[in-house]
Amino acid sequence: MTGPAISHLLGIVCGLSALGAIVAYVYVVLRHRRWINSIGLLLTGLGVMQLSLLLSAGASLGTLINATFTVALFVAALAAQTYAAIRGRAAWDGVDRREKP
């Protein structure tokens, strides 16, 4: 693959991941009413959306290696934040439920 093709592919991955993160954030806000707890999901999604716009401009092959690692880490962060936001874990109520040794 050529540099522009890789750059375009990474831009598409970023755009789709960002769209998924924003949809997940809207779902969490509407379903669980926890907008501040999952704000990192929205902000990371918006950051990845901006990264997709930067990648679509194209770059050299050496820069694309670093861009590939950056995209992979951002997508992993979005996946982890989406899972944490959707799982719907209740807030701590002050009761320690761990077993005492």
Side-chain angles (χ1 to χ4, degrees), residues 4-97:
I6 293 172
S7 179
H8 183 68
L9 181 65
L10 289 174
I12 289 173
V13 169
C14 283
L16 292 176
S17 298
L19 224 52
I22 293 169
V23 167
Y25 176 76
V26 170
Y27 169 78
V28 168
V29 168
L30 294 177
R31 174 101 171 145
H32 299 291
R33 305 280 186 217
R34 295 183 317 197
W35 67 274
I36 196 70
N37 290 348
S38 54
I39 195 76
L41 177 63
L42 176 67
L43 295 176
T44 306
L46 293 174
V48 170
M49 182 69 77
Q50 292 301 313
L51 182 62
S52 74
L53 297 175
L54 289 173
L55 287 173
S56 64
S60 67
L61 191 59
T63 306
L64 288 176
I65 292 171
N66 291 330
T68 302
F69 288 127
T70 303
V71 168
L73 292 172
F74 268 126
V75 169
L78 286 176
Q81 289 179 13
T82 300
Y83 172 74
I86 290 179
R87 72 179 167 174
R89 199 166 143 183
W92 187 56
D93 60 359
V95 177
D96 188 11
R97 293 181 177 80

